[in-house]
Amino acid sequence: MVRFLADGHTGEAVHAEATLMEAFFRSLSMILVSEIGDETFIIAAILAMRNKKRVVFSGALSALAIMTVISAALGYVVPNLISKKTTHNAATILYTFFGLRLLYIGTRSKAGEMQEEIAEVNHKLDKTVDPPWLMRSPLLRKIKGTLNPVFLEAFILTFLAEWGDRSQIATITLATHKNPFGVTIGGILGHAMCTGGAVIGGQLLAMKISQKTVAFLGGAVFILFALHNIVFGADKE
């Protein structure tokens, strides 16, 4: 009896570790294919050219880490409101949609699109002013006066750009049916890698990135996620 209980606990521990690692690697790969060359990547790259790299990195990554925690938490809550089978099917549909959309974008991509996006972000940064809600709040104005303004700029711009972005929705979706801790850790590490690359030499890298290649790679990853969900149903995960 004791041996059976021990084996049972060991089996559960092994399964838990396996699901944690699967969620971690899924989240990491998803962020890497979603964020390279994305708007948050370009924002970090351009800000790092104008300011201290470590300050831009810490501000941007702080925003992305908070966003990842929020997204994973939302994904964790959803299955408690909707059945596991429904969330699983919804995740499969979203993965398929993201994958097909990225593949479509890849077929429509033309040379020079990344340069145009960099120029657009540059223009937005040049015109950046304090939002009205910041000017109206004494507390937020005080925080702005206390924190490093470059850190705050990187944080706010990154947070706003990431809100509602494909990677945020995909993180919520992944956390609905995978270990939320693994999703969070993998997502934060993926963001750290992308943001680190952006601040070190992001604009040069972005100019050399093929939008077509990134879109096809991202599309393939999301399609693989969808196929995995179809082959391994909700009851097998």
Side-chain angles (χ1 to χ4, degrees):
M1 180 67 175
V2 174
R3 173 68 179 275
F4 173 78
L5 290 175
D7 289 344
H9 284 302
T10 301
E12 290 178 3
V14 171
H15 177 70
E17 183 177 352
T19 56
L20 177 69
M21 293 306 296
E22 181 188 357
F24 169 82
F25 285 114
R26 272 212 193 193
S27 183
L28 176 63
S29 60
M30 178 189 70
I31 294 300
L32 290 177
V33 300
S34 298
E35 289 296 299
I36 293 180
D38 198 21
E39 185 174 359
T40 54
F41 181 94
I42 297 173
I43 287 173
I46 295 174
L47 286 177
M49 292 180 64
R50 305 176 177 186
N51 306 280
K52 290 184 178 179
K53 289 179 170 52
R54 66 176 181 274
V55 178
V56 174
F57 175 80
S58 57
L61 184 58
S62 296
L64 292 168
I66 291 173
M67 185 68 75
T68 302
V69 171
I70 293 173
S71 301
L74 288 173
Y76 178 73
V77 170
V78 168
N80 296 321
L81 305 175
I82 308 172
S83 70
K84 184 176 180 181
K85 183 177 180 180
T86 301
T87 56
H88 180 91
N89 292 338
T92 304
I93 293 171
L94 280 173
Y95 289 147
T96 304
F97 171 75
F98 286 145
L100 293 177
R101 183 172 180 273
L102 282 170
L103 292 176
Y104 174 76
I105 290 173
T107 62
R108 305 283 294 181
S109 295
K110 300 176 182 178
E113 283 193 358
M114 188 63 74
Q115 287 85 344
E116 291 176 7
E117 189 168 351
I118 291 172
E120 183 180 343
V121 173
N122 251 318
H123 182 66
K124 286 182 181 178
L125 293 179
D126 288 336
K127 295 178 62 176
T128 296
V129 294
D130 289 335
W133 51 265
L134 176 59
M135 300 304 295
R136 287 196 299 265
S137 172
L139 176 60
L140 291 176
R141 289 202 305 270
K142 185 175 181 180
I143 292 174
K144 181 186 177 185
T146 303
L147 293 176
N148 185 305
V150 175
F151 175 94
L152 197 61
E153 182 181 18
F155 181 94
I156 292 175
L157 290 175
T158 303
F159 193 89
L160 293 178
E162 185 67 12
W163 190 263
D165 190 56
R166 178 179 61 245
S167 59
Q168 187 206 16
I169 298 173
T171 300
I172 295 173
T173 303
L174 187 61
T176 61
H177 62 290
K178 296 296 178 184
N179 187 297
F181 294 105
V183 171
T184 301
I185 297 169
I188 293 175
L189 179 59
H191 282 303
M193 294 169 67
C194 290
T195 306
V199 300
I200 291 172
Q203 185 156 357
L204 179 62
L205 179 60
M207 296 289 282
K208 294 182 178 297
I209 290 174
S210 167
Q211 187 83 340
K212 184 185 293 288
T213 301
V214 172
F216 277 130
L217 182 60
V221 169
F222 280 112
I223 292 297
L224 285 174
F225 285 176
L227 290 174
H228 182 276
N229 278 17
I230 293 171
V231 174
F232 299 95
D235 56 333
K236 297 180 181 179
E237 293 196 347

